[in-house]
Amino acid sequence: MSDVPLSEAPPPWTCARCGEPLTLGEIEVAYLGSAFPVKLWHCKRCRLVLIPEELAQGRMLEVEKMLEDK
Amino acid sequence: MDQKELHALEAQCTQEHAPPCTAACPIHVDVRGMLAAVAADHFDAALALLTKRLPFPGIIGRVCEQPCRAACNRKDLGDALMIAALERACAAYGAPPPPKRRLPGRGKRIAVVGGGLSGVTVAHDLARKGHRVTLFEATERLGGTLWETSEDVLPRDLLTGELTQALSDGVEVKLNTPVTTALLDALHADFDAVYLGVGQGPKADFARELLAGVAPDTFTTPREGVFAAGRAIAARPTFIESISTGQRAAISIDRYLQRVSLTASREHEGAYITQLYTNLGGIAPVPVIRPTAPAAGYTRAEAVQEAQRCLQCECLECVKACAYLQHYGSYPKQYVRQIYNNLSIVMGTRQFNTLINSCSLCGLCGEICPYDLNMATICHEARQTMVAQDRMPPSAHEFALRDMAFSNGAAARLARPAPGSERCDYIFFPGCQLSASAPEHVERAYADLREMLPNVGLLLGCCGAPANWAGRSDLFAEAQAAFRADYAALGGGQVILACSTCYQMFKTHLPDVPALSLWELFSEHGLPPSAAAPRSLPGPLAVHDPCTTRHESAIHESVRQLLREMGLRIEELPFNRERTECCSYGGLMWLANREVAETVVQRRIAEQPLDYVTYCAMCRDFFADRQKPTLHLLDILYEDDLTARAMRPGPRFSQRHDNRARLKRRLLTELWEEPMSEPPAIPIQLLLSEEVAARVEKRLILEEDIREVIAYAERTGNRFHNPQTGHFLASHRPANVTYWVEYTPVDDGYQIHNAYSHRMEIVMQPEKAE
Ligand code: SF4
Ligand code: SF4
Ligand code: SF4
Ligand SMILES: [Zn+2]
């Protein structure tokens, strides 16, 4: 899923707890035993990760469906 | 499903069987394919199809006895297709396909005795197979009895032309060479095999004994290596039979020379009766086209016109009736194999999972199929197999299973004897969907039942159908065990069911529990006491029978009787009673394949311009949600403003949960004066605009999921903040799905801007800053 063309523009979100702007970094997501690296925005301090709607309802959903048929 | 079951199921679908014309044709010309090509003015393609089976299209197009026509499905609809005349047109207007190449020589020598149609056929076929053939003809010309046909019908140059052409490659022709007993002995010694195509009459005398002993399927004679067919042995001495038996004798000779079985897999050689069913209903007669100049045969345009009368016979009855079967572009014979293959995959993509999960299990196909092939049973079993193999996509049915768990959980399930009674003579089991859609009707019906009958207990819950449909035998067994436990605790009694799916589940899986439908009960005992007073009734309504009542004719009758008793005029849908269609809720089709489900429900509501009346809460809600005014039978019994009621959209999923929970709470406190021990849902007030509510509904996110996210975010502080809009964004994963909610706290609760979900999980967290 690392081929997901995520917009590199920082999202409008900040970490509500730390008040920090988010940073982009590689994070691993998994489903049904398959793991994928994906670049996601997150809070560097408390490690809260943002999964944006476009990703969840788009590419992620596709990959989920694909893995379910494996 | 094992191989054997697969083959048995495949054999049940006859869609791939030959059309009647081809089956009746002794040499099985692909008439349907040929006529399709002619109808499209593609004579080259048509001739190519014809010559696959027939080496002499020009001759046969003029002289064929056409047993195919007697079988043609058009015969009572404007007369059978003029098949031979169309073959003649193919020969006239199509470019002959390039001659098929002979197989490499195989060094075997065959003597063919007789240059009539069968002999020429045998010589031609065996030469093509790479054998060296010598043909002995007693007279000075090839063609035998063909010469008895008048010259107007069969021009002589065409006769000799086609026969000579057929033998041009690999056959040595010896004319004026009568064969005698002595010569036959010599041929038998000299050649690897001998074929006798000697016709009838004195000229065949020398072989009389051999001909008398011909085996009808393999065309062997009592003498090893000698074969015979054609008119000499024909039950029906026709030209086309001579070609047919000649072709089959050639197959035997070739097998004999290869020393393989002469008898293996030779079924359906020669004319037979097809099992292909073709529905001829609604087909208008079209008169046969006759050539304006009969001697010249059809003009090109006439041939095209005549070929267009061909019905292109096929079955596809089930496919025409079922949008799901149509959606996948094929038919059950293929689907069965795809399903079988899908279940057998060890590694790789199971591309037919969705196909298996999309069937509504309604069983209409099985009702329609002339051979009773029922995809419902096949798909249902396949689902159970997938679950057992641990290959069922988790997302396929989870939402419905959660819904069922809710109905059977503490918040909604309830089992009580009638207030003030100890035992139950009856138990009202309204079903989870009626309680979700019209809880007030459940209450009212329960009150009526208590007035009508002694000791009516109540059992709120789900019969387990979603688990059954999902192939989850484990969860289904659990739901049934829960019922049995409650039933035993209530002390038994007759169960009164208001949902036809419950009824089907009870009847099939709890056959020992006495059950009857609410509709049968009302039609026997009279209208319920609280039934609405006479009021202005809508015009005629069309009755939609829920698909789970397919085989319940007693229910069909009761419902119609009740409707009439209420003063309604009813009309029947084209697909009704045992041929009724699913609303798309059945089998969890709506969840597994929304696209197909939408087609199914849209098709159903478009079948009749009248408003519908039905007796399943799900069917009603599905139709009304798509702007088809639809009444539930209980609406007619209990509601005053039927126009408004028919348009009422079904409650949203979250509302359905609330309705069930509230029904339990209210009945408990009002009828049994018991407090509800279970705490109500998380007390968080949500504000959703219509648009957001609809979006969230489509994404199968419930308000209770949203509440959990907010409770979690507010408790832990794990949330994002958008300084521009002031919105918060947070997520929570209570089980297999992560829910995200974008919200703003407001005075009296939370304004919800958006919600979405995913199943993937974050497994490796980002590194923490130093
Ligand atoms: S109705 Fe359907 S399953 Fe039955 S023979 Fe016809 S195409 Fe096959
Ligand atoms: S209508 Fe066409 S396909 Fe059907 S039997 Fe006649 S020729 Fe064959
Ligand atoms: S939806 Fe009904 S008619 Fe269609 S295949 Fe399934 S059981 Fe048969
Ligand atoms: Zn933080």
Side-chain angles (χ1 to χ4, degrees):
Chain A
M1 280 220 314
S2 42
D3 55 328
V4 183
L6 257 192
S7 93
E8 304 273 310
W13 300 102
T14 58
C15 178
R17 180 191 293 110
C18 315
E20 298 269 327
L22 305 183
T23 46
L24 197 57
E26 193 145 292
I27 283 154
E28 205 166 82
V29 294
Y31 187 51
L32 300 175
S34 299
F36 307 87
V38 54
K39 279 194 164 174
L40 290 171
W41 293 95
H42 60 271
C43 170
K44 197 78 180 160
R45 188 177 304 182
C46 74
R47 310 203 293 183
L48 197 61
V49 179
L50 178 77
I51 295 186
E53 181 179 19
E54 312 77 71
L55 181 63
Q57 300 291 136
R59 183 76 181 128
M60 226 180 210
L61 186 64
E62 275 169 33
V63 176
E64 286 169 8
K65 292 255 174 268
M66 194 192 80
L67 292 173
E68 288 193 339
D69 288 340
K70 276 277 178 245
Chain B
M1 201 195 297
D2 60 25
Q3 284 267 353
K4 219 175 121 209
E5 288 164 321
L6 166 72
H7 294 312
L9 290 170
E10 280 184 320
Q12 253 178 289
C13 175
T14 58
Q15 164 65 12
E16 286 176 10
H17 287 210
C21 47
T22 297
C25 167
I27 61 169
H28 306 322
V29 167
D30 177 4
V31 179
R32 183 178 62 188
M34 175 182 80
L35 297 192
V38 172
D41 199 11
H42 294 156
F43 282 87
D44 295 354
L47 183 58
L49 278 179
L50 179 57
T51 51
K52 257 192 192 165
R53 305 291 318 155
L54 179 61
F56 333 108
I59 297 174
I60 284 301
R62 285 168 172 83
V63 305
C64 188
E65 296 84 357
Q66 305 185 80
C68 53
R69 290 197 74 222
C72 175
N73 275 330
R74 250 287 173 218
K75 66 175 178 293
D76 299 322
L77 295 161
D79 204 359
L81 268 288
M82 301 288 278
I83 297 171
L86 286 162
E87 289 171 346
R88 176 178 169 183
C90 289
Y93 307 122
K100 274 167 248 151
R101 217 153 1 111
R102 283 181 68 195
L103 293 180
R106 298 197 295 191
K108 299 286 185 189
R109 296 175 62 239
I110 297 141
V112 170
V113 179
L117 262 181
S118 90
V120 174
T121 301
V122 171
H124 165 265
D125 285 10
L126 289 173
R128 285 239 323 270
K129 290 208 148 102
H131 302 297
R132 279 159 56 205
V133 183
T134 309
L135 186 148
F136 301 86
E137 165 55 41
T139 69
E140 73 291 351
R141 62 195 186 189
L142 296 172
T145 42
L146 279 174
W147 289 88
E148 291 164 20
T149 312
S150 89
E151 202 172 340
D152 312 337
V153 174
L154 184 59
R156 298 323 189 205
D157 52 342
L158 178 97
L159 195 179
T160 26
E162 271 192 356
L163 297 184
T164 314
Q165 173 64 32
L167 300 183
S168 61
D169 193 6
V171 181
E172 187 188 346
V173 178
K174 290 186 190 287
L175 298 176
N176 302 308
T177 315
V179 172
T180 57
T181 317
L183 181 51
L184 178 60
D185 290 344
L187 294 178
H188 189 231
D190 253 17
F191 287 79
D192 296 298
V194 177
Y195 172 73
L196 300 174
V198 291
Q200 289 169 323
K203 60 186 190 300
D205 280 354
F206 76 97
R208 173 139 305 147
E209 252 166 66
L210 288 180
L211 294 173
V214 172
D217 299 325
T218 55
F219 306 96
T220 52
T221 66
R223 196 158 170 187
E224 207 208 311
V226 179
F227 298 78
R231 259 172 216 261
I233 57 125
R236 292 176 298 266
T238 61
F239 292 123
I240 194 64
E241 261 321 304
S242 288
I243 298 181
S244 171
T245 56
Q247 287 180 344
R248 289 141 69 194
I251 292 174
S252 290
I253 294 171
D254 187 51
R255 290 186 180 197
Y256 167 75
L257 295 174
Q258 292 189 57
R259 306 191 180 286
V260 296
S261 161
L262 296 195
T263 49
S265 53
R266 300 196 70 162
E267 47 282 329
H268 282 177
E269 282 188 3
Y272 64 94
I273 295 172
T274 185
Q275 294 200 55
L276 179 75
Y277 172 81
T278 302
N279 186 346
L280 302 178
I283 295 175
V286 179
V288 70
I289 306 293
R290 310 230 170 248
T292 30
Y298 280 132
T299 64
R300 201 175 167 117
E302 285 166 346
V304 170
Q305 228 190 321
E306 172 63 4
Q308 284 169 347
R309 292 199 316 125
C310 171
L311 302 171
Q312 293 293 306
C313 296
E314 59 178 349
C315 179
L316 294 187
E317 282 302 288
C318 57
V319 178
K320 287 184 247 169
C322 169
Y324 152 69
L325 291 175
Q326 219 165 61
H327 175 83
Y328 287 95
S330 193
Y331 43 85
K333 168 137 195 252
Q334 299 289 333
Y335 295 147
V336 171
R337 179 154 289 264
Q338 289 168 350
I339 291 171
Y340 174 81
N341 290 341
N342 201 72
L343 298 179
S344 319
I345 289 174
V346 180
M347 294 276 284
T349 304
R350 301 180 155 225
Q351 59 180 129
F352 299 107
N353 282 349
T354 312
L355 178 136
I356 293 170
N357 282 331
S358 299
C359 171
S360 76
L361 309 183
C362 74
L364 175 59
C365 50
E367 209 54 44
I368 283 179
C369 174
Y371 301 99
D372 302 329
L373 185 60
N374 191 341
M375 287 298 291
T377 335
I378 297 164
C379 289
H380 190 216
E381 273 173 26
R383 290 182 202 177
Q384 287 164 304
T385 308
M386 284 163 71
V387 170
Q389 294 173 334
D390 202 13
R391 296 288 195 173
M392 181 57 87
S395 69
H397 306 119
E398 199 174 81
F399 185 79
L401 297 175
R402 270 183 74 196
D403 193 52
M404 175 181 121
F406 180 89
S407 298
N408 285 338
R413 192 169 180 97
L414 179 67
R416 290 288 183 279
S421 318
E422 301 278 279
R423 63 186 182 96
C424 294
D425 294 325
Y426 296 90
I427 296 170
F428 182 37
F429 189 97
C432 62
Q433 297 300 8
L434 183 63
S435 305
S437 173
E440 69 282 13
H441 288 175
V442 170
E443 256 186 279
R444 195 148 155 191
Y446 184 42
D448 278 336
L449 287 172
R450 290 199 320 280
E451 233 178 275
M452 296 167 79
L453 303 165
N455 301 316
V456 187
L458 180 71
L459 214 174
L460 298 181
C462 171
C463 66
N468 179 278
W469 289 339
R472 289 293 299 268
S473 320
D474 54 335
L475 295 179
F476 185 50
E478 242 174 60
Q480 296 204 299
F483 171 81
R484 286 212 184 267
D486 283 336
Y487 187 66
L490 292 175
Q494 185 155 37
V495 180
I496 301 168
L497 301 164
C499 166
S500 44
T501 299
C502 299
Y503 189 91
Q504 190 188 46
M505 292 296 145
F506 272 76
K507 207 173 141 177
T508 320
H509 301 281
L510 298 166
D512 55 308
V513 175
L516 89 167
S517 78
L518 185 62
W519 325 120
E520 288 168 295
L521 189 130
F522 283 162
S523 85
E524 270 168 40
H525 291 249
L527 295 179
S530 89
R535 72 229 113 128
S536 86
L537 287 169
L541 299 175
V543 186
H544 164 77
D545 297 301
C547 64
T548 41
T549 66
R550 186 174 308 292
H551 301 295
E552 308 305 336
S553 46
I555 297 185
H556 299 152
E557 275 322 310
S558 308
V559 165
R560 284 160 178 78
Q561 191 201 311
L562 275 174
L563 288 169
R564 280 191 292 263
E565 224 173 297
M566 295 295 295
L568 269 166
R569 279 172 297 143
I570 51 175
E571 285 203 14
E572 296 293 345
L573 285 166
F575 284 87
N576 66 353
R577 298 178 189 256
E578 63 285 343
R579 291 201 158 205
T580 190
E581 292 173 295
C582 177
C583 70
S584 82
Y585 174 67
L588 303 178
M589 168 190 263
W590 70 277
L591 193 54
N593 193 332
R594 293 200 193 174
E595 187 193 344
V596 175
E598 196 55 37
T599 316
V600 166
V601 61
Q602 293 292 354
R603 232 170 92 151
R604 183 57 169 171
I605 60 186
E607 260 166 48
Q608 246 281 8
L610 293 178
D611 293 357
Y612 288 0
V613 57
T614 188
Y615 41 106
C616 165
M618 263 340 229
C619 298
R620 198 222 71 93
D621 290 353
F622 269 46
F623 295 163
D625 282 343
R626 287 159 185 84
Q627 281 75 52
K628 178 74 178 181
T630 306
L631 289 164
H632 192 279
L633 188 47
L634 289 178
D635 292 330
I636 295 175
L637 287 175
Y638 292 144
E639 295 292 328
D640 288 321
D641 185 352
L642 293 179
T643 317
R645 190 73 186 174
M647 295 297 291
R648 174 184 76 108
R652 294 217 161 94
F653 298 130
S654 304
Q655 190 63 47
R656 300 184 92 88
H657 277 201
D658 284 357
N659 284 349
R660 292 179 193 136
R662 283 201 196 129
L663 178 65
K664 169 176 180 178
R665 187 173 295 274
R666 200 168 47 240
L667 289 173
L668 253 191
T669 38
E670 285 175 14
L671 292 184
W672 287 280
E673 295 168 6
E674 285 176 40
M676 177 113 160
S677 49
E678 297 77 23
I682 306 172
I684 289 181
Q685 182 70 36
L686 301 182
L687 304 162
L688 285 83
S689 69
E690 260 308 297
E691 192 223 317
V692 172
R695 187 189 319 150
V696 166
E697 170 95 349
K698 214 169 152 208
R699 292 176 175 177
L700 304 176
I701 299 171
L702 299 173
E703 289 187 10
E704 60 205 65
D705 302 325
I706 295 179
R707 285 197 185 90
E708 277 195 62
V709 173
I710 294 178
Y712 169 83
E714 297 291 310
R715 188 173 74 241
T716 59
N718 286 343
R719 45 187 196 161
F720 297 99
H721 183 241
N722 182 334
Q724 266 118 56
T725 58
H727 294 181
F728 288 99
L729 178 63
S731 71
H732 180 51
R733 188 178 180 92
N736 305 325
V737 179
T738 304
Y739 298 100
W740 287 84
V741 178
E742 186 178 338
Y743 65 95
T744 320
V746 291
D747 286 346
D748 42 356
Y750 294 87
Q751 181 78 44
I752 308 305
H753 309 292
N754 195 15
Y756 54 92
S757 68
H758 53 81
R759 288 176 170 267
M760 287 219 165
E761 256 185 295
I762 294 169
V763 285
M764 207 181 74
Q765 295 285 336
E767 282 164 30
K768 197 163 183 172
E770 295 302 313

